[in-house]
Amino acid sequence: MARTRSTSRGHSSGNGESHSRADRKNQTREALLDTTRSLVAERSFGSISLREVARGAGIVPTAFYRHFASMEDLGVTLVEDSMRVLRRALREGRRDLAERQAMPTAKTSLEILLRHVRENAAQFRFLVREQHGGIAEIRRAIDTELRLFSKELAIDLARLPALAEWEPEDLETAAELIVTIMLTAVADLLDGEYRGRGAEKDIVERTERQLVMVFLGMAQWRPSR
């Protein structure tokens, strides 16, 4: 019996060590991502070196490869994390569409988006800058995520009785317009931080008018069959 208890304690200790190693690995991975987020707040991803990312996370450069296959792999992971924030912002902005079976108001959508931009400025700035940046893998990752989000929005639009007759292609086109307008607003709002509150107000009002025009146009659109 003593031998059994000893073995059990051994297993328990081994499991604890395993969990501890996994926790440390996750913490280091998050430290690498946090360091990169800080660096891309003011710089392009392509200007950042593996060495400075590793130094910021408190590890030697060779240990970086225990967490990411390459800097491009790290960049794509950062895109996926940042897109989750963007999706949450835009998903909240269109919540009325599912709950009330009605078009979300442009004002509500913009207020929600603006709040998320302020709370996650570095991540939004990274997406805006790298969407047309120099690293092909990151550009493709952003494009893929945006296409997926547009498709999700098109599915939501298809649930509206007023749009029941629309072709999938028309729904996706409308969704892409809405997402593009929102992303342009994000880019302008981030630049507007340095131009004062008046510029921010102008950006919001202009974007609101653009969205209202899209929604009004959708209400009048008659798909051809």
Side-chain angles (χ1 to χ4, degrees):
M1 289 295 294
R3 187 176 304 156
T4 301
R5 285 194 296 271
S6 175
T7 302
S8 176
R9 285 196 299 271
H11 281 307
S12 221
S13 173
N15 289 336
E17 290 175 4
S18 176
H19 284 307
S20 179
R21 284 195 298 270
D23 289 342
R24 286 197 298 270
K25 184 173 182 178
N26 287 335
Q27 288 171 0
T28 302
R29 179 183 173 87
E30 285 305 310
L32 289 167
L33 288 167
D34 287 343
T35 297
T36 307
R37 289 188 191 100
S38 297
L39 292 171
V40 298
E42 302 299 337
R43 295 164 52 186
S44 68
F45 185 84
S47 71
I48 295 168
S49 71
L50 184 154
R51 186 174 295 277
E52 63 183 320
V53 171
R55 183 171 61 247
I59 61 174
V60 296
T62 52
F64 172 92
Y65 296 103
R66 298 174 189 165
H67 306 277
F68 298 99
S70 63
M71 281 294 289
E72 289 77 11
D73 181 33
L74 169 62
V76 170
T77 301
L78 199 59
V79 167
E80 293 169 350
D81 287 352
S82 300
M83 281 300 302
R84 274 193 285 272
V85 175
L86 177 60
R87 283 183 172 186
R88 185 167 64 249
L90 298 182
R91 197 170 282 135
E92 285 182 30
R94 70 179 200 266
R95 183 171 295 161
D96 283 352
L97 191 148
E99 292 180 355
R100 300 183 187 175
Q101 291 289 294
M103 291 292 180
T105 65
K107 184 176 178 59
T108 299
S109 297
L110 283 173
E111 286 174 351
I112 292 169
L113 183 63
L114 180 59
R115 172 168 54 82
H116 280 277
V117 170
R118 286 171 175 160
E119 293 173 355
N120 305 277
Q123 288 172 285
F124 279 102
R125 190 174 286 112
F126 166 72
L127 286 175
V128 168
R129 184 188 296 121
E130 301 301 326
Q131 185 181 8
H132 305 291
I135 298 180
E137 291 91 336
I138 294 178
R139 287 201 311 271
R140 283 196 294 269
I142 293 174
D143 183 63
T144 297
E145 292 285 342
L146 289 175
R147 287 179 183 276
L148 287 172
F149 183 78
S150 292
K151 288 183 182 296
E152 289 178 5
L153 178 54
I155 291 171
D156 283 346
L157 293 174
R159 296 191 179 105
L160 294 173
L163 305 181
E165 300 301 316
W166 279 40
E167 296 289 338
E169 294 81 2
D170 292 336
L171 289 168
E172 288 187 17
T173 297
E176 287 169 3
L177 277 172
I178 294 169
V179 172
T180 298
I181 289 171
M182 289 293 198
L183 281 179
T184 301
V186 169
D188 290 345
L189 287 167
L190 290 172
D191 287 343
E193 286 181 347
Y194 306 100
R195 299 201 300 268
R197 299 288 296 182
E200 181 180 289
K201 181 174 180 290
D202 291 342
I203 291 166
V204 171
E205 289 178 351
R206 185 187 70 239
T207 306
E208 184 176 332
R209 287 196 302 273
Q210 291 173 339
L211 287 171
V212 167
M213 288 178 184
V214 170
F215 297 151
L216 289 174
M218 289 171 66
Q220 299 301 316
W221 176 257
R222 295 296 177 266
S224 57
R225 289 188 176 277

